[in-house]
Amino acid sequence: MQPTDGPLTFEELQLATRNRGMPLEALRYDITPVGLHYLLIHFDIPRIDVRDWRLTISDFNEPVALAYDEIRALPRTTLPVTMECAGNGRARLHPRPLSNPWLNEAIGTAEWSGTSLWPILERAGLPRDTAEIVFRGADPGIQGGVEHFYERSLTPAEVQRPEVLLAYEMNGRPLEPQHGFPVRLIVPGWYGMTSVKWLTSIRTVTVPFTGYQQTPAYHFTGSEDEEGEPVQRIRPRALMVPPGVPDYFSRHRFLDASRVAVFGRAWSGSAEVTKVELGIDGVWSEATLGESVGQFAWRSWSFAWDATPGEHVLSCRATDAAGAVQPIEQPWNYQGMGNNSVQTVAVTVR
Ligand SMILES: Nc1nc2c(c(=O)[nH]1)N[C@H]1C(S)=C(S)[C@@H](COP(=O)(O)O)O[C@H]1N2
Ligand SMILES: [Mo]
């Protein structure tokens, strides 16, 4: 389907009503309540009876099949992780790639509990000729004309990171069906597509994996025919809680002239966020940074704005320790991936 500047299509609406975003006022919480965390489900939420469910680890030296209780009995780790969909910002591109039409809200930070993946794979014994490890979800469907189970791969170097988890709890409770019950992968720092939900199997392959969700999907590419570069780590982004009160339908903001605390969160999957700036009518000033919620989670920021009567446009942008900074305008790409161009909020000050 060709990208368009036309009106929102019925198919985009159909996806948008299933895959909800996080309302930006929820940037207030260090840890996003489960019901406010964004959701992205390509096919249907599978129904899994945990008594029959096994995680099979095959094509390793010593294959195993683990039951839910066996995974829960392994050493437990809890990590706050900011997760973002790679398609976040897609609907702000011109022309608009046709898929879930995210603006800015495909984001959330949860406290994931589970067990570190690598000790399990190490025990199963990674064959010497392993190129990649493939993670399969229980959800089948058809995308791009290809019928498949949702599957993604990682290299041996990536799965050895101790923070890569087999997660069975979100914010201290068993995963809800929509977030991957009984067990999902969590890959901190990478865009959300890597964190495979409803895991059923882990296997090794001797050549790089080319299942649909790995290639052609999730690539920065200029056209349908080009392969492009794989999408991996989360680009830096700052978002603000839109200040004042909204008009119901337009979401335009209104507030009274005063000193206003503008605040939000910022994150990056590659390096710590070291600077957030607030733009007021195109003039940038540095905001005050709060502590990070965790090594793999967002940090808060705030700025005291002397709001004077009139029409104003606020924006915010993050810079990370690797020197990456959010662009004002984003180079276009065919799948609408990684659009971290700055958020803008129009405000009427009375
Ligand atoms: N099995 C499976 N895993 C999946 C998906 C999916 O459709 N099926 N969607 C992926 C994508 S694109 C994202 S952004 C995250 C979203 O996770 P959440 O819904 O828990 O926020 O899950 C990922 N894992
Ligand atoms: Mo996603």
Side-chain angles (χ1 to χ4, degrees):
M1 267 165 309
Q2 289 307 309
T4 178
D5 267 323
L8 200 75
T9 62
F10 178 81
E11 287 79 4
E12 289 170 289
L13 175 62
Q14 202 166 225
L15 289 173
T17 56
R18 294 177 53 80
N19 296 314
R20 59 145 194 260
M22 186 191 78
L24 294 188
E25 59 273 30
L27 290 165
R28 290 198 179 92
Y29 306 100
D30 283 349
I31 299 296
T32 312
V34 173
L36 292 173
H37 194 282
Y38 87 97
L39 279 180
L40 195 293
I41 296 145
H42 283 71
F43 306 133
D44 290 347
I45 299 169
R47 186 194 157 95
I48 295 176
D49 184 337
V50 77
R51 288 166 301 185
D52 307 332
W53 177 88
R54 294 289 179 280
L55 175 60
T56 63
I57 299 182
S58 56
D59 303 308
F60 280 71
N61 296 336
E62 293 185 42
V64 282
L66 297 170
Y68 185 59
D69 290 340
E70 292 176 294
I71 293 173
R72 293 197 59 121
L74 294 169
R76 178 186 168 102
T77 322
T78 298
L79 273 184
V81 176
T82 295
M83 196 189 291
E84 179 172 16
C85 181
N88 202 11
R90 173 185 289 123
R92 293 188 292 123
L93 291 172
H94 297 288
R96 185 178 79 251
L98 290 179
S99 183
N100 199 79
W102 299 118
L103 296 168
N104 281 310
E105 59 297 281
I107 182 70
T109 296
E111 224 162 30
W112 300 98
S113 299
T115 193
S116 191
L117 172 68
W118 177 239
I120 298 173
L121 300 188
E122 200 179 19
R123 229 171 298 133
L126 206 61
R128 211 165 335 137
D129 57 355
T130 300
E132 291 183 348
I133 297 95
V134 180
F135 301 86
R136 171 176 288 195
D139 48 331
I142 302 160
Q143 200 176 341
V146 182
E147 186 153 9
H148 60 279
F149 283 91
Y150 187 94
E151 289 183 313
R152 290 276 311 177
S153 69
L154 286 170
T155 61
E158 289 294 336
V159 299
Q160 286 176 37
R161 291 163 49 207
E163 66 271 19
V164 173
L165 301 183
L166 290 181
Y168 45 74
E169 284 182 16
M170 181 181 186
N171 297 0
R173 300 192 152 259
L175 299 183
E176 295 199 353
Q178 69 276 19
H179 285 295
F181 181 83
V183 174
R184 76 178 298 173
L185 191 64
I186 290 291
V187 184
W190 284 51
Y191 278 114
M193 73 285 173
T194 321
S195 294
V196 178
K197 303 194 267 192
W198 312 292
L199 267 183
T200 57
S201 82
I202 301 176
R203 68 179 193 277
T204 60
V205 286
T206 56
V207 292
F209 177 65
T210 57
Y212 183 85
Q213 301 296 341
Q214 196 75 25
T215 304
Y218 298 105
H219 277 70
F220 293 108
T221 151
S223 71
E224 196 172 3
D225 319 314
E226 214 180 279
E227 182 172 327
E229 288 299 313
V231 175
Q232 298 182 335
R233 286 182 176 268
I234 300 175
R235 290 174 165 179
R237 192 193 299 274
L239 291 176
M240 75 181 94
V241 175
V245 296
D247 171 64
Y248 165 67
F249 189 63
S250 66
R251 310 312 293 176
H252 186 82
R253 313 298 300 189
F254 292 87
L255 55 86
D256 295 333
S258 62
R259 177 162 259 230
V260 180
V262 181
F263 68 100
R265 304 275 173 179
W267 60 92
S268 162
S270 298
E272 202 190 359
V273 166
T274 47
K275 184 163 77 174
V276 172
E277 295 158 286
L278 183 75
I280 300 159
D281 303 319
V283 180
W284 295 95
S285 313
E286 221 168 304
T288 305
L289 293 179
E291 290 294 304
S292 286
V293 170
Q295 195 192 341
F296 306 103
W298 58 25
R299 67 193 303 177
S300 62
W301 60 267
S302 64
F303 185 88
W305 173 41
D306 285 315
T308 53
E311 301 299 325
H312 297 285
V313 176
L314 304 183
S315 41
C316 54
R317 72 176 172 204
T319 302
D320 72 16
V325 51
Q326 288 182 252
I328 307 284
E329 280 187 62
Q330 183 71 36
W332 188 85
N333 68 86
Y334 184 79
Q335 299 175 5
M337 292 286 126
N339 179 15
N340 67 334
S341 61
V342 299
Q343 172 197 17
T344 58
V345 178
V347 181
T348 300
V349 179
R350 302 171 295 199

